[in-house]
Amino acid sequence: MDFPIFHLDFLGNRALIAIIAVIHAIINHALAVGLMPVVAMLEIKGFRLMQTNPELAEKWDSLAYRILFVAFLITTTIGAMTGVGIWFSASLVNPASIASLIRVFFGAWFVEWMVFVTEVVLILLYFLTWKKLKANMVKKFKHVKYGLFLCFFSWITMAIIVSILAFMMDTGNWNNDRTFIYGFVNPLYLPQLLFRTPLAMTMGGMIALFLTLIYTRKDPDFRKSALRSIRKWVLVWGPLAAAGAMLYYYVIPTNLVGNLPVAMGTIEFQSWYSQIIVIVIVAIGLVIGMANWAYFRPNTAPAWLAAVSILLIAGLMGHFERLREFIRKPYVIGEYMYSNGLRVEDYPLLKRDGILKHANFVATKEVTDDNMIEAGRDVFILTCSRCHTANGAVNPIVGKFTVMFGKEPWQTPQLKGYIKNMHSARYFMPPFPGNDRELDALCAFIKELQTNPQPVTGAQDGLGFNKPKPAQSVAAR
Amino acid sequence: MFYSILLQAQTTIVQKDIPLPLPVPEWFLVLILVLMFLVHILFINFMVGGSILTLVYQLLGLRKPDYDKLAYEVAQTITVNKSLAVVMGIAPLLAINTLYTTYFYTANALTGLMWILIIPLVTIAFLLLYAHKFMWHRLENNKLLHISILATSVAIFLFVPLIFLTNVNLMMFPDKWSVVEGFLSALVLPNVFPRYLHFLNACLAASGLLLVWYFGRKDFDFEVKFPSLSRYEIRKNLYTVTFYGSVVQFLVGPIVLITLPTQGLGWNVLTVILTGASIAIVAMVWLWKEITGPVAQFGRHFTKIALTMGVVVLFMGSGRQLYRSNVIDPHRKLVAKKTAEYEKLVKEAQAEALKPKNTETATAAAHPGEAIFQMNCVACHQVNEKLVGPSMVEAAGIYKGNIAGLIGWIKQPGKKREGPAMPAQAHIGDDKIKQVAQWMDGTLNSLC
């Protein structure tokens, strides 16, 4: 309401955040949190053999290095930049919510940053000094320690950010316990951490397995011992990940769980969703099966199947992330701010005065008979556009109403009746915030969208108001 | 006439701030913003300047292979500098988000597409840099491709700062917010390009100094690595890059000052900037002595130069923050006032809404179930007509005498018709659902 509103009318704004955030979360979990301990484990295997069997030690060492190389390439480019990207996209799409969160979680983010600096310095040290610090046992021991510190700090980074995520999901506590500490002691914190940690470890293990299958083709003996170690890792963490997923699923507050089926939209999906346990078992089952296959029949184990299992866990994780985002609805910050970026406490005022009166960066400040469509567009941008596009690919408002009211020209009373009451029937929708005239204008605009499909532009395309329009005519004088 | 209309069009927008207290004292945020930003920009300078110098050395290497090796050596430093540049950027980002929330986010949104493009652009530049570094020997025979990879990431590095500068420039001028239309129109605001030149010079000056140190380290076997090059000559050339970079700053600096809108130019800003500039002169004298002095004494001023330059940067960074607060602070007072007024209105409206209204009791429903229906169901259902879902009369007819079945459906609906499936309504509560069902089965079925 106070910020110019960035809007992507094809992709949808939430999709922008989702794409960036899911990529980041998967890279963070799989490569930073999960894979680093596997690399450290492989390095230690080699370190222990340095004196008794230097030749074999070198094999372990070079496998560990090659796996780390992949992790280093991806985490320090796509991983790091998507992390910044979450900030950028979230502050574009819902500035009011991210700004409110920062005011409460400044400390958490600041500590997070310091841990993150440590993590980056450690991964640089670990990767760039690998070749220099392998001449003797003393140097190698120092290097092994870098690796262990790196594992620790990667995990801590995740442990801190989860507190903010847990806090955002736990409804009602913003108003009562608006503190940094509460992020850690709230009931969703531990289950999330207990879910994410083994899941990350499992993913890391599978990536190591995948790379080992590729890198050790020419050395069947070493291949077998390397795969044995990795199999052990996966066999320990895989079942824990399954247990964590179930725990996380069960502790999500019951009132939120009641909302889960609608998260998935369709009834087909609902029945699919009730089988989530099966999916978890299939994903983890494939992981465990694959680990065993690779160990017992290393030469027939296909690397692509390991890749499939990684994608499957990534999918499972993405699914849980989506779920997490969805169960917050209709709020972006539980019971404090709706997903349209307006505070619950703003509603009485906005319903009384109208939202346009208190908004900035709008073309109209008041609805009149002459500006219905223009004002309706402003109301749409202010109240709907955080989640809906007009005619775009994701969540188009025209599509929604077509499903409900058919292709015949929509009538204002239909639209108005629905929008006025939607929040009671559709639990995930925030109530409409404006006054009655604005609702009329919104309906006029939605009807205009039906008969005259057009993209809705965001602030980044120019605001389209207050332009020096007369410039040409003045010049003509 | 023309101008007066333009001026009228430039209405200054006053927003409301986030109505929550600052999490830490303001001075702390300013400190983080200034200090950590300087650390961040220093590594950015190293990264951008380092990439440019790598490109230059590699082009020279086409004639003289040792320069290609030198380029390889410089490329090694970029890996570290780029990672630190990103991670050091987070603290000032956090601080500016907190301190200048409305200003920064507004500028971001107004240039939104370019702003978010920073992420993929920089990611691509980083990946290309790695490809360039790790495929150096594999692409030995295809220098054109190899150099093009680097040139592409340098091009990205040269473009991205424009996006940042456009944003930090636009955030200071609320009077421009209503007239800019996307990135390009914000880019051409008067101050952006002079600041960009200032930045590029700083990149070259800082990288030159960094590499003078890097190639001067005792354990760096320069003569073994590059037998045909002279360590002294290379380091002297790098000093020269720093020197001319700084000289040009003395020309660009005043342009930056002149093109800055005057409302922020107080004596405090000028004093700090001019003090910084005069300290810079000292550093440049030492630089000159290093470049022109005897070979035997080469390098003796290095520490002094680096420290002095550090102090200069600190002065310039502080001057920049002073300017920003000169410009924004009056507007921030307006914002604070508006926020307080708005919060007062919010409280009033809340109190008003809590008062019971007489009009509503007049339309009270005859059956409690009907009232619950009016509260929760009318978005999709009407009593007599089909809306999104079937009319209630029709539905009641289907479940005639089967209240349990009706309740079961409301709590966990299936899908029988065209159109969207009904969402589960279990959250309404068992008692209320039962009342709705009773109303439907009793009142509505008796209508038929």
Side-chain angles (χ1 to χ4, degrees):
Chain A
M1 186 167 60
D2 285 295
F3 301 94
I5 293 179
F6 172 86
H7 179 63
L8 296 174
D9 206 52
F10 179 76
L11 184 65
N13 303 304
R14 290 185 313 151
L16 176 74
I17 303 185
I19 293 166
I20 297 175
V22 165
I23 294 175
H24 180 75
I26 288 174
I27 290 177
N28 168 278
H29 286 40
L31 295 175
V33 179
L35 189 54
M36 288 310 157
V38 184
V39 171
M41 176 181 87
L42 297 176
E43 191 194 12
I44 291 171
K45 290 259 178 202
F47 174 64
R48 285 188 173 158
L49 290 168
M50 263 178 100
Q51 284 196 319
T52 50
N53 190 346
E55 198 188 330
L56 186 58
E58 177 53 32
K59 284 180 183 175
W60 285 104
D61 199 66
S62 96
L63 177 66
Y65 180 75
R66 291 177 80 181
I67 293 174
L68 175 65
F69 180 72
V70 174
F72 181 80
L73 282 195
I74 299 175
T75 51
T76 57
T77 53
I78 309 174
M81 288 312 294
T82 45
V84 183
I86 294 178
W87 276 62
F88 276 29
S89 58
S91 55
L92 279 179
V93 171
N94 210 330
S97 80
I98 193 87
S100 304
L101 284 170
I102 286 175
R103 300 240 167 160
V104 173
F105 282 103
F106 183 86
W109 263 306
F110 198 77
V111 174
E112 173 85 352
W113 169 69
M114 292 194 285
V115 177
F116 187 40
V117 173
T118 320
E119 189 189 338
V120 169
V121 170
L122 280 169
I123 194 170
L124 288 171
L125 262 180
Y126 192 49
F127 176 69
L128 296 174
T129 62
W130 192 293
K131 297 267 165 80
K132 281 178 207 153
L133 292 181
K134 63 189 281 188
N136 57 46
M137 293 282 282
V138 179
K139 283 188 175 170
K140 192 67 189 169
F141 184 61
K142 193 173 168 193
H143 191 258
V144 165
K145 276 194 286 187
Y146 289 161
L148 295 176
F149 278 123
L150 175 60
C151 298
F152 177 70
F153 279 99
S154 300
W155 184 80
I156 290 288
T157 320
M158 182 179 80
I160 296 175
I161 202 74
V162 166
S163 79
I164 299 175
L165 297 179
F167 180 89
M168 286 166 79
M169 284 166 71
D170 192 7
T171 57
N173 291 313
W174 175 274
N175 295 320
N176 308 325
D177 303 286
R178 208 182 283 171
T179 60
F180 172 26
I181 297 300
Y182 193 76
F184 292 94
V185 297
N186 91 55
L188 284 171
Y189 178 71
L190 266 185
Q192 278 225 47
L193 199 61
L194 289 177
F195 163 59
R196 285 169 189 271
T197 306
L199 193 81
M201 299 302 172
T202 311
M203 282 175 93
M206 288 315 282
I207 288 170
L209 187 91
F210 170 73
L211 293 174
T212 306
L213 282 174
I214 293 173
Y215 288 154
T216 57
R217 287 216 170 100
K218 290 175 192 153
D219 192 345
D221 290 342
F222 175 64
R223 184 182 179 88
K224 193 150 176 91
S225 23
L227 289 172
R228 179 168 49 207
S229 293
I230 297 172
R231 167 176 169 262
K232 252 190 236 163
W233 178 269
V234 173
L235 289 187
V236 169
W237 289 108
L240 288 176
M246 295 333 297
L247 175 72
Y248 180 37
Y249 181 71
Y250 284 120
V251 294
I252 291 169
T254 18
N255 62 328
L256 294 177
V257 172
N259 202 24
L260 288 187
V262 270
M264 308 316 162
T266 64
I267 236 160
E268 296 79 51
F269 214 94
Q270 276 187 35
S271 60
W272 183 90
Y273 192 78
S274 63
Q275 293 163 357
I276 183 107
I277 303 169
V278 181
I279 309 272
V280 171
I281 291 170
V282 168
I284 301 298
L286 180 63
V287 162
I288 290 172
M290 189 61 221
N292 281 316
W293 187 353
Y295 171 62
F296 288 112
R297 295 271 181 280
N299 295 322
T300 61
W304 67 265
L305 194 61
V308 168
S309 73
I310 296 166
L311 289 180
L312 208 64
I313 323 176
L316 182 73
M317 198 184 127
H319 188 77
F320 267 96
E321 297 291 341
R322 202 194 141 179
L323 178 75
R324 183 174 62 73
E325 283 303 305
F326 195 89
I327 57 177
R328 295 215 308 254
K329 291 182 181 178
Y331 302 105
V332 65
I333 301 170
E335 295 183 20
Y336 174 74
M337 185 180 280
Y338 286 115
S339 40
N340 54 23
L342 301 169
R343 292 178 309 165
V344 177
E345 58 199 282
D346 289 331
Y347 264 64
L349 178 69
L350 299 180
K351 281 199 170 296
R352 188 189 78 188
D353 294 358
I355 186 166
L356 292 174
K357 188 181 168 191
H358 295 287
N360 277 310
F361 300 98
V362 286
T364 48
K365 289 300 258 183
E366 205 183 344
V367 183
T368 63
D369 290 342
D370 302 327
N371 72 2
M372 292 295 272
I373 289 173
E374 208 187 1
R377 180 183 290 115
D378 277 340
V379 175
F380 175 82
I381 275 282
L382 286 168
T383 61
C384 319
S385 71
R386 297 308 79 208
C387 305
H388 291 284
T389 61
N391 268 306
V394 180
N395 237 352
I397 199 143
V398 171
K400 294 279 168 201
F401 280 118
T402 306
V403 173
M404 283 193 286
F405 299 125
K407 288 194 159 57
E408 298 301 307
W410 304 324
Q411 303 303 316
T412 303
Q414 278 182 328
L415 296 174
K416 207 172 161 180
Y418 175 76
I419 297 172
K420 231 182 195 170
N421 297 293
M422 62 190 170
H423 56 283
S424 53
R426 302 191 181 250
Y427 188 68
F428 48 91
M429 293 293 291
F432 176 73
N435 64 20
D436 206 52
R437 282 293 280 161
E438 289 172 343
L439 185 52
D440 284 332
L442 177 62
C443 293
F445 178 64
I446 292 172
K447 278 160 71 184
E448 169 76 10
L449 283 176
Q450 185 191 26
T451 50
N452 179 18
Q454 53 190 287
V456 174
T457 51
Q460 76 277 13
D461 306 305
L463 291 161
F465 76 100
N466 264 346
K467 280 183 219 161
K469 271 183 238 155
Q472 275 187 336
S473 60
V474 171
R477 273 191 205 173
Chain B
M1 181 69 195
F2 176 81
Y3 284 108
S4 68
I5 287 173
L6 260 184
L7 285 176
Q8 275 170 9
Q10 293 192 358
T11 39
T12 301
I13 291 174
V14 179
Q15 295 155 298
K16 301 182 285 290
D17 199 0
I18 302 298
L20 295 168
L22 283 182
V24 282
E26 193 171 323
W27 62 261
F28 181 75
L29 290 171
V30 173
L31 197 71
I32 295 290
L33 183 56
V34 174
L35 284 182
M36 285 300 132
F37 177 77
L38 288 177
V39 175
H40 163 68
I41 208 70
L42 190 66
F43 284 111
I44 291 283
N45 286 339
F46 289 160
M47 173 185 93
V48 176
S51 322
I52 296 172
L53 287 172
T54 307
L55 184 60
V56 171
Y57 281 144
Q58 212 180 1
L59 289 171
L60 290 173
L62 292 174
R63 294 254 176 89
K64 198 173 180 185
D66 265 3
Y67 272 112
D68 195 71
K69 288 190 202 155
L70 196 65
Y72 183 71
E73 205 57 48
V74 180
Q76 307 303 311
T77 64
I78 306 173
T79 310
V80 176
N81 289 332
K82 75 140 197 20
S83 288
L84 291 176
V86 172
V87 75
M88 286 306 176
I90 293 174
L93 182 68
L94 184 59
I96 203 168
N97 276 337
T98 318
L99 188 58
Y100 296 121
T101 311
T102 50
Y103 303 89
F104 194 62
Y105 287 169
T106 298
N108 294 171
L110 291 174
T111 60
L113 276 185
M114 274 303 162
W115 182 246
I116 198 67
L117 270 180
I118 290 175
I119 303 301
L121 280 176
V122 176
T123 308
I124 290 167
F126 284 0
L127 287 169
L128 288 175
L129 274 180
Y130 278 158
H132 178 255
K133 176 180 164 186
F134 291 114
M135 297 207 293
W136 201 290
H137 304 298
R138 213 176 293 174
L139 291 176
E140 203 72 64
N141 298 318
N142 195 347
K143 280 287 167 201
L144 180 68
L145 175 65
H146 192 222
I147 294 175
S148 314
I149 294 174
L150 177 61
T152 312
S153 57
V154 168
I156 294 174
F157 281 161
L158 289 180
F159 175 65
V160 169
L162 280 174
I163 308 178
F164 278 103
L165 282 170
T166 302
N167 264 271
V168 291
N169 188 56
L170 182 60
M171 70 174 269
M172 290 192 292
F173 305 112
D175 54 328
K176 297 285 190 285
W177 293 346
S178 57
V179 287
V180 294
E181 292 192 24
F183 171 71
L184 283 178
S185 69
L187 174 69
V188 296
L189 289 177
N191 193 234
V192 178
F193 281 99
R195 286 176 74 174
Y196 179 65
L197 283 179
H198 200 69
F199 164 78
L200 286 187
N201 273 311
C203 287
L204 289 174
S207 303
L209 211 54
L210 175 76
L211 291 175
V212 168
W213 165 78
Y214 188 81
F215 290 131
R217 287 173 306 152
K218 288 221 169 64
D219 58 346
F220 189 82
D221 282 335
F222 195 97
E223 288 74 15
V224 178
K225 282 188 174 170
F226 320 108
S228 72
L229 299 176
S230 136
R231 190 199 289 245
Y232 167 71
E233 285 298 328
I234 294 291
R235 291 181 74 202
K236 196 177 82 172
N237 290 345
L238 288 165
Y239 258 145
T240 316
V241 169
T242 305
F243 183 76
Y244 284 109
S246 315
V247 170
V248 178
Q249 291 301 52
F250 274 88
L251 303 175
V252 177
I255 300 178
V256 172
L257 274 181
I258 290 166
T259 51
L260 277 173
T262 46
Q263 70 249 46
L265 272 185
W267 283 111
N268 55 355
V269 176
L270 283 179
T271 313
V272 170
I273 299 272
L274 293 177
T275 313
S278 41
I279 298 174
I281 293 175
V282 179
M284 288 174 66
V285 171
W286 280 322
L287 265 174
W288 184 249
K289 281 188 181 163
E290 288 277 76
I291 296 169
T292 56
V295 186
Q297 293 183 335
F298 186 80
R300 66 191 169 128
H301 295 305
F302 179 82
T303 316
K304 282 182 277 180
I305 294 170
L307 286 177
T308 325
M309 285 297 196
V311 174
V312 173
V313 167
L314 211 55
F315 270 92
M316 295 303 173
S318 311
R320 169 196 156 103
Q321 173 61 28
L322 278 176
Y323 177 84
R324 177 154 52 202
S325 55
N326 281 356
V327 180
I328 296 187
D329 281 354
H331 191 266
R332 284 177 83 200
K333 289 206 179 83
L334 296 179
V335 168
K337 192 167 155 242
K338 185 160 178 182
T339 310
E341 282 166 7
Y342 177 77
E343 289 305 305
K344 213 175 126 199
L345 285 176
V346 164
K347 293 279 167 318
E348 273 172 27
Q350 269 181 326
E352 231 171 79
L354 285 176
K355 281 181 204 154
K357 283 177 190 153
N358 300 328
T359 44
E360 272 181 22
T361 45
T363 56
H367 190 285
E370 188 180 355
I372 295 160
F373 167 79
Q374 292 293 348
M375 286 278 290
N376 296 287
C377 316
V378 290
C380 300
H381 297 285
Q382 293 188 347
V383 175
N384 286 309
E385 275 169 67
K386 181 188 178 300
L387 191 61
V388 180
S391 78
M392 288 297 88
V393 173
E394 189 193 336
I398 296 171
Y399 286 97
K400 198 162 192 173
N402 179 12
I403 284 202
L406 185 52
I407 291 176
W409 176 275
I410 296 171
K411 284 167 76 170
Q412 194 159 22
K415 183 173 166 63
K416 289 201 284 197
R417 299 168 195 248
E418 287 291 301
M422 176 170 158
Q425 302 295 329
H427 60 271
I428 296 174
D430 285 351
D431 289 350
K432 287 183 174 175
I433 291 174
K434 196 174 166 194
Q435 283 175 321
V436 173
Q438 280 166 347
W439 164 70
M440 284 173 70
D441 193 46
T443 318
L444 296 186
N445 276 338
S446 66
L447 289 176
C448 308

